[in-house]
Amino acid sequence: MSMVTATIMGTAMTTGIRMDEPSGDVEHLTLLLAWLSPSFPVGAFSYSHGIEAAVEQGFVRDRATLIRWIGGVLEHGAGRTDAMLFAHAHAAVLAGDEAGFAWAVERADVLRVSSEMALESRAQGQAFLTTIRNAWPLDGLERWRGVIAGTGRPPAYAVGVAMAAALAGVGVWPALAAFLHAFVANLVSAGVRLVPLGQTDGQKALAALDPLVHHAAEVALLTPIDDLGGRSAMVDWTSMIHETQYTRLFRS
């Protein structure tokens, strides 16, 4: 036994951790870290969700305005809509409710206000499920891919992650919080590059938005699905004008 192994085993004995029985919570944690990592090949770095146009228009110009803008997206825009559909899709998969899941797939596809927002969601959703199929095989995956195909619509990113999380046995609360955190982190990264901001300001922005991520997940789980929808007119407008912006770094 090496010194490192002996140290690990000694720590396990002291703390009561069973080395022969891996923790489900830890397995789910590392699964979410892998799936929602910036290195997961969904191309998230290519999208700013309209922040590029918001910077161009002067709405986002420093750390404070970036936090306020992303907080609005989370509370009133795609963050809210996708979180509710995520929860609905996750529950449908667990219940074996194919009609309910198809409903979520359709709503997640049509509730996009611009072609770029639709591209952002669809391209990431398709890339996510393709990578899951090739690298992270899950029992039941083909069944639910068939339900998606039956709708005639591409899978939105939120629905794809929710489906995979449910099939992997990851609870909706940690899965949704992780998904929203990744969404916010990507927008902060876009803001850091566009304003531009320093890396420390980026981390301060992410820290300020973290409580809003947890609140948004909680609200989504408690809000009736009949209240589905967003109200983020300025975000929608910046997404639309970004489509014809002369110089662009991002696809949305």
Side-chain angles (χ1 to χ4, degrees):
M1 181 184 297
S2 70
M3 182 176 297
V4 172
T5 303
T7 301
I8 293 173
M9 294 298 292
T11 302
M13 294 176 63
T14 302
T15 59
I17 297 174
R18 291 286 302 276
M19 296 298 293
D20 58 336
E21 293 182 6
S23 165
D25 288 342
V26 173
E27 288 181 349
H28 292 163
L29 172 62
T30 54
L31 196 66
L32 292 172
L33 288 171
W35 289 358
L36 297 169
S37 163
S39 66
F40 203 85
V42 297
F45 62 87
S46 301
Y47 304 98
S48 80
H49 203 77
I51 288 179
E52 183 165 20
V55 171
E56 179 78 11
Q57 297 295 317
F59 301 131
V60 174
R61 55 191 176 275
D62 53 25
R63 187 178 78 227
T65 51
L66 178 64
I67 292 170
R68 185 161 61 245
W69 188 270
I70 297 175
V73 174
L74 196 58
E75 185 175 4
H76 302 295
R80 180 183 193 273
T81 302
D82 281 349
M84 293 180 66
L85 289 168
F86 187 111
H88 186 85
H90 189 282
V93 171
L94 289 184
D97 180 4
E98 294 186 1
F101 181 72
W103 183 91
V105 171
E106 292 170 351
R107 295 306 184 282
D109 185 46
V110 301
L111 291 177
R112 307 293 163 183
V113 299
S114 71
S115 62
E116 288 189 356
M117 290 293 197
L119 171 66
E120 179 181 313
S121 175
R122 293 169 181 168
Q124 291 186 79
Q126 290 173 317
F128 177 82
L129 288 183
T130 297
T131 304
I132 290 293
R133 186 185 190 191
N134 292 330
W136 300 80
L138 298 170
D139 290 340
L141 180 62
E142 294 310 309
R143 171 192 175 185
W144 296 99
R145 280 171 54 90
V147 175
I148 293 172
T151 68
R153 297 183 180 277
Y157 188 31
V159 169
V161 177
M163 180 188 78
L167 291 176
V170 183
V172 67
W173 168 251
L176 178 54
F179 173 79
L180 292 176
H181 168 81
F183 175 63
V184 166
N186 189 63
L187 298 190
V188 168
S189 177
V192 166
R193 286 174 279 170
L194 288 164
V195 173
L197 299 172
Q199 294 297 325
T200 299
D201 268 340
Q203 287 301 306
K204 288 180 178 179
L206 195 56
L209 288 162
D210 190 59
L212 299 183
V213 166
H214 292 272
H215 179 68
E218 182 179 356
V219 168
L221 294 173
L222 296 175
T223 302
I225 197 64
D226 290 344
D227 195 26
L228 181 65
R231 43 185 178 268
S232 53
M234 290 300 292
V235 177
D236 299 343
W237 180 69
T238 55
S239 173
M240 292 175 186
I241 65 172
H242 185 262
E243 294 176 1
T244 57
Q245 189 168 314
Y246 182 72
T247 302
R248 304 192 315 178
L249 297 176
F250 292 85
R251 300 183 72 186
S252 72

